[in-house]
Amino acid sequence: MTTKKFLLQEADIPTRWYNIAADMINKPRPLLNPATKEPIAASDLYPLFARALADQEMNQTDAWIDIPEEVRDMYKVWRPTPLVRAYGLEKALDTTARIYFKNESVSPVGSHKLNSALAQAYFCKQEGVTNITTETGAGQWGAALSYAAKAFGLELAVYMVKVSYHQKPYRRSIMQTFGAQVIASPSMSTKSGRAILTDNPNYQGSLGTAISEAVELAMQTPNCKYTLGSVLNHVMLHQTVIGLEAEKQMEMAGDYPDIIIGCFGGGSNFSGIAFPFLRHKLKEGKDIRVIAAEPSSCPKLTRGEFQYDFGDEAGYTPLLPMFTLGHTFAPANIHAGGLRYHGAGAIVSQLRSDGLLEAVDIPQLETFDAATLFARAEGIIPAPESAHAIAAAISEALKAKEAGASPVILFNLSGHGLLDMAAYDQYLAGDLTNYELTDKDLNATLASLEKII
Amino acid sequence: MTTKKFLLQEADIPTRWYNIAADMINKPRPLLNPATKEPIAASDLYPLFARALADQEMNQTDAWIDIPEEVRDMYKVWRPTPLVRAYGLEKALDTTARIYFKNESVSPVGSHKLNSALAQAYFCKQEGVTNITTETGAGQWGAALSYAAKAFGLELAVYMVKVSYHQKPYRRSIMQTFGAQVIASPSMSTKSGRAILTDNPNYQGSLGTAISEAVELAMQTPNCKYTLGSVLNHVMLHQTVIGLEAEKQMEMAGDYPDIIIGCFGGGSNFSGIAFPFLRHKLKEGKDIRVIAAEPSSCPKLTRGEFQYDFGDEAGYTPLLPMFTLGHTFAPANIHAGGLRYHGAGAIVSQLRSDGLLEAVDIPQLETFDAATLFARAEGIIPAPESAHAIAAAISEALKAKEAGASPVILFNLSGHGLLDMAAYDQYLAGDLTNYELTDKDLNATLASLEKII
């Protein structure tokens, strides 16, 4: 369990976010109005999102966006985060690879989500917004936004997927401790919620339904905006502080990553670690491999289709260009709740389509094997989501050993698993299973896609 | 929630532990053999503890003990920990006091317990020990020792108080994830456990019973030693890295604490933050106040008696000079499980007797009021144990405000509460109660004490 941290000073916290869209040769495709199929403008998003965030969403020209001093001040609560040379893991694998991880689990809410939550809360506050809404599945995003809302004096209502509301009561408690309202979704507080409950009173909810409720509440509440923790370009933007810090830290370590790995749900932590390194691939042709690690039960990048699709189940959002499994896709109930989303964001999808990144899909049991090995070797219990990145890193390290190669592998530890111990319990008891996604089930939801691309 | 961290470098991790016993004018009283009432020697402890630890326990001459490089290397995993100026809390209280806290919650197991766990595991390993045993209540110590045992390649058996084993399943899962054996106590695996279960098959256990089982297993297992997470002098010694770092960080902040506060169970985190500062009171007469914050349901320092008593319920240990409530005292079932211990360590008890430190006792509800206020102001959800220190700090800050004074208050945030959210749930729902300790109940257990002092 020997280890080595590379630590930066507060002055090293980035002063600007990196906007990869500005450097992409093939720009991400535009969002479309579902009725007209025409591209929408930033102003079309103003009713729903803070203007600054809508503008960031559409910005394809400025490679660098200043981080407001108030946001950077809040980053100082836990940033810069450590980069760790995983000697313990290397030893356990007896690999010739050099493995590093960026430890985003040290944030007060336990994950990288706070990087964007603080930015979104700040911009809302700046524009006179008093109330915000959001949805959350496992609760990592909801917990982060609850913290950020409290930090910037906003009222927050979180629609939490009902099955998680009951299964992960402690992330709900965290949100409530920070002062947020948490509503199990579907609920009777919105038209979309009531409609679903009338139809099926025992429905346990989905992220798509929760988004619909959060959007609806935001539209009906004065001075209220909606916020989202992944998928959208401005969320990826805020997360680039991860990779920008990691770049400096890899330099301190005297190494440069050959392989960069992040787990993949909607893309926020993956993009955060990968985009700053990818810019050197885009601009200077740097020879790096970038790998998105997704669950084999929700494999949009490996088995999905690059097509326009809705961001939510009910179809309230604009059409997004996404590698998608179809917005009606119901992912299996894996413990990595943060990866149970049907689509990838517009930028990642374009990069994937252009061959600039790879994807692997990993069965649930393999991720818990990796998580347990990592915990015993490095002393940190990873979130089930992050365990996908660890599993992918282990797989690359073992391949390197077989090939007698010594690549430098960098992965993002997006969060800790201290609130996911029920999952570990199940794993240790031998009660955890894999979920196979059959072609038949996959094709059923893909068939619902309009063919626009 | 504005905040300011004072960060040290790895090179600033202390190279020596501070042994306050060497600087005490009135030395801590000796441990006694219960049969003869004669002082015991370090060698009498060798069968139970690693020799190096037994020697540290008895050392009253060397003020500084070198930290082995292997232990210091492991400290680098998360140390130095941040010192934080709690601007957010100050603002919420509108106080004239300046409040700082040392954030020990950033350790991979979430508390300060790792500081001693790594040291104890190391010394055991050095002496050829292959197996260790311990007991744990809420599980903070058990989790830390599981991590440390894995780090140094030792097998670990943890007797976990049965009520906690079932109520706090996730700390149990953490121990198991790190590879420890966890046994609900009382168990059928020891003579003392079997005796209790035969008598009362539904007994839910106590820390005292768990200690007895852990001691018994250690004595019967080849190459096996027993370890303890608090109370004993060598545990306090290891925890002084907290205060030694804090001293440097207060200097960085350009301030010096007038008041130093730690929550109090057996004394480990309290001593860790306080002893390095107390040495200046002992040696140079520095004018500081040191306050131990204990639960009003388990108030050994405020309402207990300074007397010789056993460390465990069954009476297996030597007699310890302690402020105690009596070793048969059954503390109420408060959520701050780490503070549910009947006695204070020998050094703290002597310092208390000599008027060198103060103590306050705080009802459970007040600690959760404080914890929630702190969480919303500083963004960290504290452990119920640490909430006692926060409540005491708030009380001092409010007194300062009333008096128009501006003291510098430093408290130790010994751990986070992410695995205690069930307690927060109960608090937020209004279902949490205080436990009054009546004089009658207190006197009943105090009456059992032999009067030796």
Side-chain angles (χ1 to χ4, degrees):
Chain A
M1 209 142 67
T2 321
T3 194
K4 171 83 186 151
K5 277 185 308 182
F6 298 92
L7 298 174
L8 299 171
Q9 295 300 300
E10 274 185 9
D12 297 310
I13 297 173
T15 55
R16 300 181 302 173
W17 292 303
Y18 172 59
N19 178 20
I20 197 173
D23 287 334
M24 289 167 69
I25 297 156
N26 296 330
K27 299 293 178 196
R29 291 166 193 259
L31 307 189
L32 301 183
N33 177 318
T36 64
K37 309 287 189 297
E38 291 297 318
I40 62 169
S43 57
D44 294 325
L45 296 175
Y46 289 172
L48 199 55
F49 295 102
R51 282 171 177 240
L53 297 169
D55 291 343
Q56 287 170 8
E57 186 64 25
M58 297 302 191
N59 190 327
Q60 301 190 346
T61 49
D62 304 313
W64 299 96
I65 311 274
D66 285 343
I67 302 176
E69 207 44 54
E70 292 86 343
V71 174
R72 203 167 168 277
D73 266 352
M74 288 302 307
Y75 282 172
K76 291 177 189 168
V77 171
W78 79 104
R79 306 207 69 85
T81 63
L83 178 82
V84 183
R85 171 77 185 266
Y87 283 114
L89 182 60
E90 290 174 22
K91 193 175 158 197
L93 297 171
D94 189 23
T95 176
T96 43
R98 300 199 289 287
I99 308 177
Y100 294 83
F101 62 93
K102 180 72 169 162
N103 187 357
E104 289 292 304
S105 80
V106 298
S107 100
V109 292
S111 85
H112 71 292
K113 290 289 188 191
L114 207 45
N115 297 324
S116 186
L118 287 165
Q120 293 190 46
Y122 168 78
F123 286 116
C124 286
K125 184 69 179 182
Q126 277 300 97
E127 297 177 17
V129 171
T130 55
N131 292 57
I132 55 177
T133 73
T134 201
E135 74 293 319
T136 198
Q140 294 268 32
W141 167 247
L145 195 65
S146 301
Y147 174 107
K150 180 52 71 180
F152 287 109
L154 296 168
E155 294 297 321
L156 167 64
V158 182
Y159 285 92
M160 185 172 187
V161 177
K162 192 175 277 176
V163 61
S164 297
Y165 184 92
H166 293 299
Q167 278 181 351
K168 309 231 177 191
Y170 299 141
R171 284 229 178 78
R172 163 174 61 73
S173 317
I174 289 175
M175 295 182 243
Q176 290 170 332
T177 302
F178 284 135
Q181 269 197 57
V182 188
I183 309 111
S185 168
S187 76
M188 293 298 283
S189 67
T190 63
K191 196 179 142 195
S192 51
R194 282 191 298 276
I196 289 169
L197 285 176
T198 305
D199 210 43
N200 181 356
N202 295 319
Y203 185 55
Q204 290 302 298
S206 77
L207 214 41
T209 304
I211 295 178
S212 302
E213 291 204 81
V215 166
E216 202 183 309
L217 182 65
M219 298 304 287
Q220 290 170 353
T221 307
N223 278 328
C224 185
K225 298 291 175 191
Y226 167 72
T227 64
L228 187 69
S230 192
V231 182
L232 296 174
N233 301 346
H234 66 273
V235 183
M236 312 297 143
L237 176 76
H238 304 151
Q239 294 293 353
T240 56
V241 292
I242 302 171
L244 292 169
E245 284 181 8
E247 265 197 296
K248 289 190 195 180
Q249 289 164 310
M250 289 301 307
E251 205 180 315
M252 286 171 77
D255 255 337
Y256 197 89
D258 300 299
I259 302 171
I260 296 159
I261 300 170
C263 66
F264 199 90
S268 76
N269 97 86
F270 169 80
S271 304
I273 187 93
F275 286 1
F277 290 97
L278 265 175
R279 83 178 190 277
H280 300 294
K281 186 167 183 165
L282 288 171
K283 290 162 68 95
E284 303 136 38
K286 189 99 186 170
D287 185 23
I288 53 170
R289 291 174 58 205
V290 175
I291 304 174
E294 54 184 14
S296 57
S297 56
C298 194
K300 52 239 163 202
L301 289 171
T302 46
R303 294 173 68 193
E305 202 166 295
F306 188 27
Q307 196 48 266
Y308 272 95
D309 198 4
F310 289 104
D312 69 324
E313 201 181 357
Y316 282 8
T317 70
L319 286 169
L320 299 154
M322 307 201 289
F323 269 87
T324 179
L325 301 166
H327 66 279
T328 58
F329 180 75
N333 194 21
I334 56 169
H335 285 284
L339 308 186
R340 294 174 68 247
Y341 187 72
H342 65 280
I347 292 177
V348 165
S349 293
Q350 189 61 47
L351 292 170
R352 169 81 174 128
S353 171
D354 292 344
L356 287 158
L357 53 85
E358 308 168 33
V360 293
D361 60 327
I362 303 172
Q364 177 161 263
L365 279 174
E366 188 181 331
T367 67
F368 276 86
D369 290 343
T372 306
L373 179 71
F374 178 79
R376 292 178 184 182
E378 294 292 332
I380 303 169
I381 294 178
E385 290 84 359
S386 317
H388 289 71
I390 298 171
I394 289 174
S395 163
E396 291 297 326
L398 293 178
K399 275 188 240 166
K401 180 180 169 180
E402 223 160 275
S406 302
V408 175
I409 300 171
L410 166 66
F411 71 87
N412 193 28
L413 185 74
S414 56
H416 65 61
L418 295 181
L419 292 152
D420 301 280
M421 294 313 300
Y424 281 87
D425 253 8
Q426 230 185 315
Y427 169 75
L428 292 169
D431 291 340
L432 215 60
T433 54
N434 285 330
Y435 294 94
E436 294 306 322
L437 173 60
T438 65
D439 285 334
K440 190 184 153 205
D441 285 347
L442 177 59
N443 292 334
T445 55
L446 287 177
S448 71
L449 291 172
E450 284 191 79
K451 307 293 171 181
I452 299 176
I453 294 176
Chain B
M1 209 141 67
T2 321
T3 195
K4 171 82 185 151
K5 277 184 308 184
F6 298 93
L7 298 175
L8 300 170
Q9 295 299 301
E10 274 183 10
D12 298 310
I13 296 172
T15 55
R16 299 181 303 174
W17 292 302
Y18 172 60
N19 178 22
I20 197 172
D23 287 333
M24 290 167 69
I25 297 155
N26 297 330
K27 299 292 178 197
R29 291 165 193 259
L31 307 190
L32 302 183
N33 179 319
T36 64
K37 308 286 188 298
E38 291 297 318
I40 63 168
S43 58
D44 293 326
L45 297 174
Y46 289 173
L48 199 53
F49 296 101
R51 283 170 177 242
L53 297 169
D55 291 343
Q56 287 170 8
E57 186 64 25
M58 298 300 191
N59 189 327
Q60 300 189 349
T61 48
D62 304 313
W64 298 98
I65 310 273
D66 285 342
I67 303 177
E69 207 45 50
E70 292 86 343
V71 174
R72 202 167 168 277
D73 265 352
M74 287 303 304
Y75 283 172
K76 291 178 189 169
V77 172
W78 80 103
R79 305 206 70 84
T81 64
L83 179 82
V84 183
R85 170 78 185 265
Y87 283 115
L89 182 60
E90 290 175 21
K91 194 177 157 196
L93 298 172
D94 190 24
T95 176
T96 43
R98 299 198 289 287
I99 308 177
Y100 295 82
F101 62 91
K102 180 71 168 163
N103 188 358
E104 288 291 305
S105 79
V106 299
S107 101
V109 293
S111 85
H112 70 291
K113 290 289 188 191
L114 206 46
N115 296 324
S116 185
L118 287 165
Q120 294 190 45
Y122 168 78
F123 287 116
C124 286
K125 184 68 179 183
Q126 276 300 97
E127 297 177 18
V129 170
T130 54
N131 292 58
I132 55 178
T133 72
T134 200
E135 73 292 320
T136 198
Q140 295 268 30
W141 168 248
L145 194 65
S146 301
Y147 175 106
K150 179 52 70 177
F152 288 109
L154 297 167
E155 293 297 321
L156 168 64
V158 182
Y159 285 93
M160 185 173 189
V161 176
K162 194 176 276 179
V163 61
S164 297
Y165 184 91
H166 293 298
Q167 278 181 350
K168 310 228 178 196
Y170 300 141
R171 283 229 178 78
R172 164 175 59 74
S173 316
I174 289 175
M175 295 182 244
Q176 291 169 330
T177 302
F178 285 135
Q181 268 198 58
V182 188
I183 308 111
S185 167
S187 76
M188 293 298 283
S189 67
T190 63
K191 196 179 143 196
S192 52
R194 281 192 298 276
I196 289 169
L197 285 176
T198 304
D199 210 42
N200 181 356
N202 296 318
Y203 185 55
Q204 291 301 298
S206 76
L207 213 42
T209 304
I211 294 178
S212 302
E213 293 205 78
V215 166
E216 201 183 310
L217 182 65
M219 298 303 287
Q220 291 170 353
T221 307
N223 278 328
C224 185
K225 298 291 174 188
Y226 166 72
T227 64
L228 187 69
S230 194
V231 182
L232 296 174
N233 301 346
H234 66 274
V235 184
M236 313 297 144
L237 175 77
H238 304 151
Q239 294 293 352
T240 56
V241 290
I242 302 171
L244 292 169
E245 284 181 6
E247 265 196 298
K248 290 191 195 180
Q249 289 165 308
M250 289 302 306
E251 205 180 315
M252 285 171 77
D255 256 336
Y256 197 88
D258 299 299
I259 303 171
I260 296 159
I261 300 171
C263 66
F264 199 90
S268 76
N269 97 88
F270 168 80
S271 304
I273 187 94
F275 286 2
F277 290 97
L278 265 174
R279 84 178 189 276
H280 300 294
K281 186 167 184 167
L282 287 171
K283 291 162 67 96
E284 303 136 37
K286 189 101 188 171
D287 184 24
I288 53 169
R289 291 175 58 207
V290 176
I291 305 174
E294 54 184 14
S296 57
S297 56
C298 194
K300 53 239 163 203
L301 288 171
T302 48
R303 295 173 68 192
E305 204 166 294
F306 188 27
Q307 196 47 267
Y308 271 95
D309 198 4
F310 289 104
D312 69 323
E313 199 180 359
Y316 282 9
T317 70
L319 286 168
L320 299 154
M322 306 202 288
F323 270 89
T324 179
L325 300 166
H327 67 278
T328 58
F329 180 76
N333 194 20
I334 56 168
H335 286 284
L339 308 186
R340 294 176 69 246
Y341 187 72
H342 65 280
I347 293 178
V348 164
S349 293
Q350 190 61 47
L351 292 169
R352 169 82 175 128
S353 171
D354 292 343
L356 287 159
L357 54 86
E358 308 168 33
V360 292
D361 60 328
I362 303 173
Q364 177 161 262
L365 279 174
E366 187 181 331
T367 66
F368 276 87
D369 290 343
T372 306
L373 179 71
F374 178 79
R376 293 179 184 181
E378 293 292 333
I380 302 168
I381 294 177
E385 290 85 358
S386 317
H388 289 70
I390 299 171
I394 289 175
S395 162
E396 290 297 326
L398 293 177
K399 276 188 240 165
K401 179 180 169 180
E402 223 161 273
S406 302
V408 175
I409 301 171
L410 166 66
F411 70 86
N412 193 28
L413 184 74
S414 56
H416 66 62
L418 294 182
L419 291 154
D420 300 280
M421 294 312 301
Y424 281 87
D425 253 9
Q426 229 185 316
Y427 169 74
L428 292 169
D431 291 340
L432 214 60
T433 54
N434 285 330
Y435 294 93
E436 295 305 323
L437 174 61
T438 63
D439 285 334
K440 189 184 154 205
D441 285 347
L442 178 59
N443 292 335
T445 55
L446 287 178
S448 70
L449 291 172
E450 283 190 79
K451 308 293 170 182
I452 299 174
I453 294 178

